[in-house]
Amino acid sequence: MDLSTIILLAIVVVLAFYAVQIYNLLVRLRHNVSRAWSNIDVALKQRHDELPKLVEVCRQYMGYEQETLERIVKARGAVAEASRRGDPRALGAAETELRMGLGNLFALAENYPDLKANDSFRHLAQRVSQLEETIADRRELYNESANLNNMRIEQFPDLFIARLMKARAFDLLQFEEAHQDVDLGALFR
């Protein structure tokens, strides 16, 4: 073998090694997005399990607020369906609706002192509040993972490997900013 063949072979080996590194990085990024989505799903399921209990406690005290309670139940179902499908856009819209319903529920709870004093209500409201914070943290991690993936599959030279492996961009999970925060802490002051 002459020197030019050795140099050419070395270049091919280096390029192949580099392509494998890019491929492995893109696989790792895709799995990070999936893991982050799964973490959101766990918190959503936990909250999903708490909401019927909360609605039932409220229903006992808030006989005239059926529309608000039904809105929460309907939004809960939409969140579950969007989560099951893995659809960040639909989940964002359903979450916004659910958060608005919870905000209305807790605002209305101010008018029912017996409800606010109920231990079950207070416990469930605190649990839902903790889960809201968990979901916000996990949403941030998911969006960061999705964003890293999306940037890498568009960067040169990664985009060539990404196209070969049919890597896809992930939608960010966004909630309406105006309705994102439900101040449940106000109930316990």
Side-chain angles (χ1 to χ4, degrees), residues 34-51:
S34 296
R35 184 181 63 226
W37 182 263
S38 294
N39 288 337
I40 289 173
D41 196 45
V42 167
L44 289 173
K45 285 178 182 172
Q46 289 173 344
R47 188 188 59 193
H48 185 84
D49 293 342
E50 297 295 335
L51 288 178

Side-chain angles (χ1 to χ4, degrees), residues 33-176:
V33 173
S34 296
R35 184 181 63 226
W37 182 263
S38 294
N39 288 337
I40 289 173
D41 196 45
V42 167
L44 289 173
K45 285 178 182 172
Q46 289 173 344
R47 188 188 59 193
H48 185 84
D49 293 342
E50 297 295 335
L51 288 178
K53 299 172 199 171
L54 181 65
V55 167
E56 189 53 39
V57 168
C58 292
R59 185 169 282 150
Q60 294 170 9
Y61 290 89
M62 303 170 77
Y64 300 106
E65 311 296 347
Q66 283 302 112
E67 183 179 328
T68 300
L69 298 175
E70 289 171 4
R71 181 178 182 186
I72 290 171
V73 170
K74 182 180 175 187
R76 174 184 171 258
V79 167
E81 178 60 23
S83 179
R84 186 191 62 74
R85 288 193 330 258
D87 184 349
R89 287 184 183 171
L91 181 61
E95 271 293 315
T96 298
E97 188 66 27
L98 180 60
R99 288 166 181 260
M100 287 172 51
L102 284 173
N104 289 342
L105 175 71
F106 291 117
L108 289 171
E110 291 292 324
N111 299 329
Y112 296 88
D114 291 341
L115 174 61
K116 284 179 53 177
N118 181 291
D119 287 337
S120 293
F121 173 77
R122 289 181 26 209
H123 171 74
L124 290 167
Q126 284 179 327
R127 177 74 176 135
V128 169
S129 179
Q130 290 167 348
L131 288 168
E132 290 294 324
E133 291 173 16
T134 300
I135 291 167
D137 291 342
R138 291 180 180 180
R139 184 188 85 162
E140 186 176 323
L141 179 63
Y142 169 81
N143 283 343
E144 182 179 327
S145 298
N147 201 27
L148 286 172
N149 176 78
N150 295 349
M151 286 188 307
R152 284 308 293 244
I153 66 173
E154 292 179 11
Q155 290 177 342
F156 180 85
D158 298 17
L159 67 97
F160 297 118
I161 304 298
R163 286 180 183 163
L164 287 174
M165 62 187 277
K166 296 183 173 127
R168 69 177 182 91
F170 291 92
D171 290 331
L172 299 181
L173 179 54
Q174 299 174 335
F175 304 150
E176 289 284 326

Side-chain angles (χ1 to χ4, degrees), residues 176-189:
E176 289 284 326
E177 294 301 321
H179 306 291
Q180 184 173 351
D181 295 326
V182 176
D183 185 14
L184 301 182
L187 292 171
F188 308 107
R189 292 184 189 134

